[in-house]
């Protein structure tokens, strides 16, 4: 399904939104993260895929590959740590923020407990940040989170709480535990009375956009290297983090933004239809675990409401096919390890370019220059192998061979 957003506008970045998410704050977040051992010192690769672009009949197709961001395996390594540092600064304004993730204040923070619901990647990022900061971490997992993802979180010392139900139920349980025990919720979704920390999480994600601007030498106020950017949905935080930065940088010359969700977790599309932050209409049970969210973050919606040009949904089978396409690579396209949620943009692009009417609606033609974001690698290696048919390590080995042969990073 595809809908055009009737509220989409091309205008300068609004001042009220800049007060919440800004390039200035993104630079600060990036500086803090540059000192954390779990973050790669260099920007993640921006990989061109010329053979796939030719197949899809677009002028350019690039992948911002967040699988290389961190040993944590996903872009979520950017959000939770920044939010944790900013929340600790609110409690202890005298400390040096660059020392938090280095463990310099562990003695002061040992009785501080953070809690969050997660589909996997956010909880892993928070657990790692809490471990290095020296505070306690409790992670609430819902019924659809697999054992591999649970073990990956627990490896960072987090206490795991299991519940029945879906992601939205786990968010409610995290809030209940926080109220009962005096713990601090560090969530990537907002709700009534809770916006500061989700805003900080989104600000962390904007580091991706900052790198894209640098890697493409995009000039302020001018049209950039891409005509279209495909972004994953979920609760909306990642899309809002990237869009806010690019919108502020490019203003009315921003690219077309297309947000992609699983068909059974279409909360952002429903928000566009209803004109307010809304709930999904489906089962919210998808192979794209990181996008299986039933309720839009109201704070994220403030950024998406007038900036996203189209909302579209994809089926699980289309995501699995896109995983295999990126893993195969080709003579000119480097093989990429992309997890179930990481391929949403490519899956949607393949669907849209396979239909002349949908391509016309979205302006995807032979002159289109498209960017997708691979938000995760094989964060559940067993699931990845089952879906793709090849272990992630084997694909990474082929990736290294391709890089050596073609002298690319």
């Amino acid at each position: 399904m595809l809908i055009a957003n009737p509220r989409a506008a091309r205008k300068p970045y609004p001042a009220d939104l800049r007060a919440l998410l800004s390039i200035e704050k993104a630079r600060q977040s990036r500086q803090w993260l540059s000192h954390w051992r779990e973050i790669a010192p260099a920007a993640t690769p921006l990989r061109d895929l010329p053979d796939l672009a030719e197949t899809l009949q677009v002028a350019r197709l690039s992948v911002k590959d967040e699988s290389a961001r961190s040993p944590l395996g996903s872009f979520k390594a950017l959000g939770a740590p920044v939010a944790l540092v900013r929340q600790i600064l609110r409690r202890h304004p005298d400390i040096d923020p660059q020392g938090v993730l280095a463990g310099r204040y562990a003695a002061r923070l040992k009785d501080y407990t953070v809690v969050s619901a997660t589909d996997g990647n956010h909880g892993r990022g928070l657990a790692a940040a809490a471990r290095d900061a020296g505070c306690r971490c409790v992670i609430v997992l819902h019924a659809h989170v697999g054992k591999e993802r649970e073990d990956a979180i627990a490896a960072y010392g987090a206490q795991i709480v299991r519940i029945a139900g879906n992601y939205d139920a786990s968010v409610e349980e995290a809030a209940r535990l926080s109220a009962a025990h005096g713990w601090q919720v560090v969530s990537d979704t907002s709700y009534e009375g809770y916006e500061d920390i989700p805003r900080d999480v989104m600000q962390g994600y904007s580091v991706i956009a900052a790198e894209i601007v640098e890697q493409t030498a995009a000039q302020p106020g001018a049209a950039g290297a891409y005509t279209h950017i495909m972004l994953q949905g979920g609760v909306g935080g990642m899309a809002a983090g990237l869009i806010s930065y690019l919108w502020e940088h490019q203003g009315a010359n921003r690219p077309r933004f297309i947000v992609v969700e699983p068909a059974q977790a279409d909360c952002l599309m429903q928000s566009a239809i209803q004109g307010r932050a809304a709930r999904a209409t489906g089962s919210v049970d998808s192979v794209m675990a990181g996008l299986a969210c039933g309720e839009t973050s109201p704070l994220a919606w403030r950024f998406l409401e007038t900036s996203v040009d189209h909302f579209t949904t994809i089926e699980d089978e289309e995501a699995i096919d896109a995983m295999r396409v990126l893993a195969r690579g080709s003579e000119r396209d480097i093989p990429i390890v992309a997890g179930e949620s990481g391929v949403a943009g490519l899956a949607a692009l393949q669907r849209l370019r396979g239909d002349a009417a949908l391509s016309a609606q979205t302006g995807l033609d032979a002159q289109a220059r498209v960017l997708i974001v691979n938000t995760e690698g094989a964060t559940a290696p067993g699931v990845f192998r089952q879906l793709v048919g090849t272990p992630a390590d084997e694909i990474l080995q082929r990736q290294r061979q391709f890089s050596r042969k073609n002298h690319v990073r």
Side-chain angles (χ1 to χ4, degrees), residues 1 260-265 269 286 288 291 312-320 322 340-341 343-349 351-352:
M1 186 176 179
V260 186
E261 302 173 281
Q264 57 272 57
M269 178 177 284
S286 169
M288 294 168 271
L291 304 180
T312 191
T313 59
I314 55 171
E315 302 294 338
D316 284 0
E317 294 76 13
E318 293 172 310
I320 295 168
E340 310 92 276
S341 298
V343 296
L346 176 59
L349 180 61
R351 158 81 74 83
L352 297 174

Side-chain angles (χ1 to χ4, degrees), residues 168-182:
D168 298 312
S170 66
V171 171
E172 293 172 4
E173 177 63 10
R176 188 194 69 79
L177 289 171
S178 170
H181 299 286

Side-chain angles (χ1 to χ4, degrees), residues 228-276:
H228 296 71
I229 298 182
M230 320 282 289
L231 295 170
Q232 285 84 339
V235 300
M238 179 273 230
L242 271 68
I243 284 173
S244 65
Y245 192 104
L246 296 170
W247 191 2
E248 182 177 352
H249 185 76
Q250 294 180 250
N253 287 313
R254 65 168 179 80
R256 292 196 195 200
F257 294 116
I258 301 175
V259 165
V260 186
E261 302 173 281
Q264 57 272 57
D266 61 346
C267 59
L268 296 177
M269 178 177 284
Q270 291 303 317
S271 299
I273 292 170
Q274 299 176 37
R276 58 180 177 82

Side-chain angles (χ1 to χ4, degrees), residues 91-213:
R91 293 171 59 91
H92 304 282
D94 60 310
I95 69 174
D96 174 10
Q98 294 186 17
V100 174
L101 297 177
R104 282 168 43 193
Y105 303 97
R108 291 175 66 176
L109 299 174
K110 62 182 177 61
D111 296 323
Y112 184 53
T113 301
V114 292
V115 60
S116 184
T118 187
D119 282 307
N121 292 336
H122 173 77
R124 194 173 179 181
L126 181 60
R131 177 205 62 185
D132 287 355
C135 55
R136 293 183 62 242
C137 181
V138 178
I139 298 295
V140 183
L141 300 179
H142 60 84
H144 303 298
V145 177
K147 187 66 164 58
E148 274 189 306
R149 289 190 169 92
E150 176 182 339
D151 291 344
I153 296 167
Y156 288 95
Q159 176 187 339
I160 305 297
V161 174
R162 275 281 186 179
I163 66 156
N166 59 20
Y167 174 76
D168 298 312
S170 66
V171 171
E172 293 172 4
E173 177 63 10
R176 188 194 69 79
L177 289 171
S178 170
H181 299 286
W183 299 340
Q184 176 62 58
V185 175
V186 179
S187 174
D188 53 357
T189 189
S190 66
Y191 43 84
E192 186 176 353
Y194 180 79
E195 288 196 345
D196 287 351
I197 290 175
R199 177 200 62 205
D200 297 338
V201 171
M202 293 191 297
Q203 190 70 81
Y205 298 157
S206 63
V207 169
I208 301 170
E211 292 178 357
I212 293 168
V213 165

